[in-house]
Amino acid sequence: MEPLAIQAGVSQTVRPVLALDANLSAVLREGRTVAGEVLQTLDGKSILIGVGRHRVPADSDVELAPGQRFLARVEHTAEGTVLKVLGHRADGESKLLGALREVVGDDRPVGELLEELGAALRKAVDAAGDADGKLARLVKQLGEHVFVPGATGAELARLLARAGLDHEALLSQLAHAAPAGSSAVAAGAFSEALFGELRALLSAAGAQLDNETQVKLRALLEAAVRDAGAALAGGRPDAADLAQALTARLRAALAAMPEGATRDALLEGLTGALERLLGGAPPSRPALAWLAALEGEGQLLRLEHNLKARLLGLLGALEPGPEREAVQHALAGLEAEQLLNVARKEFSEGWHLALPVPDGEHLATAHLFYRDAPEHEEGEDADAELQRMTLTVDLSRLGPLRAELGVRDDLVALRLVVTQQRVAEALLAGVEELRERLSFGGRQARVAVVVGTRDDTAVDSLSQNIRWLREHHLMDLEG
């Protein structure tokens, strides 16, 4: 099959010919890049294409044949929706295939890779010492990427965010972000704006602040604002996050002032003052500057603690030797997983994320597979709307475990599969408590525990079941 021709001056568009229903409109949003596949040619330039799980009759200005795939950008014009072809999928060697061949041999569980790297660093310390403590710090940094049993949901979210798969995306965001000032300076400007709002409120009420009270109030506001900024550091806060973080801290700060009409007026007017600074669309200029500064510093902080960034830093800090080779293996393994997720994205097959977890004196790996809920069509089983996640882990004492989770607005369904009866009985003893904890937000919770075989819990069936790889063989048979 000839690749899709990309010729200058030729219109490269595919135009759906039927009115879009709500589900398809959600997929074909303006500016979105979608993957399409030609399912059937009709008459002339009429074709039937697949976009996600939708079958769409269309007219094409590009000569296409059944089985061809393409990327297109969605554009809404006066004549209707148009898919503007951006590139082609050739049958020959692709860049993704070449990149995967370079690293797929190192696609090992991240727990195994980090354990190997930690052992190499500790061996280097034993052999040559660690006068400046650099290697010990590196081992400690690697430990920050291991799941700690009993961690909260927020701590787990931060651990997932540091897993390293978004390293290049963070670099791109930093490269394209507008320069932001220091968050400390921006916080100071915001607290001064808040001070002005509160002073105006007192003036309107006929109250005046003496110099000593003004100094104390400014100090209280600055401390509360600084504390709120520190609590939000490293995240992606918006105006609502700032308002929530500030309210409790500012109320506590103002409540510490001497009792009297001034304190009461300040407490009463605080909500209105924050609303004027943070509640607009957009918020006030001081609030926008503070948000931009927090976002900029948050991106740097997320990059600093990103696993891939740390591995790259290690690569530059270590001399040639076994420990540097261990870093290279860990990097190649992480990049293999990044590329496999790119392959999954080709056919909207979700993504895979792996976390090291303690397993006695060793590290095991928990594998998380996620897929968005497909667009639900009328007449289909409502379970088709479920967002689905699968977690697998194999621990030396408990054996393999597979958890399948489905979530929608009114339901949480959890199925746990283990291979040992004693483990199943231990899990069943805690099912009622687990069901209660999952029944948040008015959702019904269903929990099932079953005993299966190793095949039922195997991670390979999930990690290797990628349509793009079935159509593009990694092994080069021409040699």
Side-chain angles (χ1 to χ4, degrees):
M1 183 187 303
E2 289 297 318
L4 187 66
I6 304 298
Q7 303 171 17
V10 178
S11 174
Q12 306 289 332
T13 61
V14 175
R15 185 189 305 275
V17 297
L18 297 179
L20 308 182
D21 63 22
N23 289 325
L24 185 54
S25 294
V27 174
L28 300 182
R29 295 195 302 270
E30 171 73 27
R32 185 176 184 181
T33 299
V34 296
E37 180 177 5
V38 182
L39 303 177
Q40 183 181 349
T41 56
L42 304 174
D43 58 322
K45 292 188 176 181
S46 297
I47 57 176
L48 183 68
I49 62 172
V51 180
R53 63 198 299 272
H54 295 279
R55 297 163 65 88
V56 185
D59 287 337
S60 174
D61 291 330
V62 189
E63 187 174 345
L64 298 168
Q68 280 191 288
R69 297 187 299 277
F70 57 90
L71 289 177
R73 183 176 63 251
V74 180
E75 296 182 357
H76 295 318
T77 68
E79 290 76 29
T81 299
V82 170
L83 305 183
K84 189 159 188 176
V85 176
L86 301 176
H88 65 277
R89 310 288 176 89
D91 286 339
E93 180 84 344
S94 74
K95 291 183 180 179
L96 177 56
L97 194 61
L100 273 168
R101 283 176 175 161
E102 291 290 326
V103 296
V104 75
D106 284 297
D107 182 30
R108 291 187 287 148
V110 66
E112 179 182 327
L113 290 168
L114 290 192
E115 182 176 342
E116 177 185 286
L117 176 54
L121 292 174
R122 284 188 288 270
K123 187 175 181 179
V125 171
D126 293 340
D130 187 23
D132 58 1
K134 179 180 72 175
L135 295 180
R137 289 193 298 272
L138 296 177
V139 173
K140 182 179 179 181
Q141 287 179 352
L142 292 177
E144 294 175 6
H145 295 275
V146 178
F147 174 75
V148 178
T152 65
E155 289 167 340
L156 176 57
R158 286 193 290 271
L159 184 62
L160 292 172
R162 298 197 302 264
L165 298 183
D166 62 347
H167 176 257
E168 287 75 13
L170 286 173
L171 288 176
S172 178
Q173 290 171 11
L174 284 171
H176 292 92
S182 161
S183 65
V185 172
F190 180 87
S191 65
E192 187 62 26
L194 180 60
F195 174 78
E197 289 284 340
L198 294 175
R199 187 171 59 178
L201 180 151
L202 291 176
S203 179
Q208 297 293 329
L209 293 173
D210 58 47
N211 289 337
E212 182 180 356
T213 304
Q214 287 190 43
V215 171
K216 290 181 178 179
L217 179 59
R218 271 197 171 97
L220 288 173
L221 295 179
E222 288 173 0
V225 168
R226 186 169 57 248
D227 187 32
L232 296 171
R236 296 177 174 88
D238 57 19
D241 296 325
L242 282 183
Q244 183 178 4
L246 283 166
T247 298
R249 291 170 173 82
L250 288 169
R251 287 199 173 279
L254 295 177
M257 295 180 65
E259 294 183 6
T262 297
R263 186 188 73 169
D264 294 343
L266 289 171
L267 286 169
E268 184 178 349
L270 176 61
T271 300
L274 289 176
E275 178 66 24
R276 287 188 290 277
L277 289 173
L278 295 168
S284 67
R285 189 170 297 176
L288 287 174
W290 191 21
L291 283 167
L294 285 171
E295 172 65 14
E297 292 186 359
Q299 287 177 335
L300 288 172
L301 189 61
R302 290 192 293 275
L303 189 60
E304 179 184 346
H305 292 278
N306 184 277
L307 177 58
K308 187 171 183 180
R310 281 180 162 168
L311 291 175
L312 288 168
L314 267 172
L315 198 63
L318 296 174
E319 298 294 330
E323 57 273 17
R324 197 171 192 273
E325 290 179 7
V327 174
Q328 290 173 324
H329 287 312
L331 265 173
L334 188 58
E335 289 176 349
E337 196 51 58
Q338 288 180 293
L339 292 168
L340 288 171
N341 275 336
V342 173
R344 291 183 180 96
K345 189 175 181 181
E346 292 290 294
F347 292 101
S348 302
E349 294 181 293
W351 47 259
H352 168 228
L353 189 63
L355 286 177
V357 296
D359 184 20
E361 297 181 354
H362 301 282
L363 291 178
T365 300
H367 299 269
L368 176 66
F369 298 87
Y370 172 81
R371 179 176 292 191
D372 285 321
E375 292 80 17
H376 182 54
E377 295 183 357
E378 189 175 352
E380 288 185 337
D381 185 346
D383 282 350
E385 291 182 319
L386 289 172
Q387 288 181 304
R388 299 181 184 276
M389 288 169 280
T390 302
L391 175 72
T392 67
V393 64
D394 192 346
L395 300 171
S396 56
R397 295 186 62 185
L398 299 181
L401 177 145
R402 176 166 171 159
E404 298 170 349
L405 181 68
V407 181
R408 67 172 188 247
D409 289 343
D410 62 341
L411 175 69
V412 177
L414 175 64
R415 182 174 183 266
L416 298 170
V417 184
V418 295
T419 59
Q420 299 183 41
Q421 183 63 39
R422 65 177 182 86
V423 177
E425 292 171 357
L427 291 172
L428 284 168
V431 159
E432 285 306 315
E433 179 184 354
L434 180 58
R435 187 178 289 118
E436 289 179 8
R437 296 182 68 177
L438 291 175
S439 300
F440 59 91
R443 289 184 173 94
Q444 177 189 2
R446 301 176 190 165
V447 180
V449 179
V450 299
V451 178
T453 66
R454 277 199 167 266
D455 288 342
D456 296 325
T457 58
V459 69
D460 288 349
S461 62
L462 293 170
S463 62
Q464 298 175 7
N465 186 20
I466 302 173
R467 177 179 169 183
W468 190 89
L469 291 183
R470 294 197 297 271
E471 298 185 7
H472 298 78
H473 300 292
L474 288 177
M475 184 177 292
D476 186 354
L477 301 178
E478 295 182 1

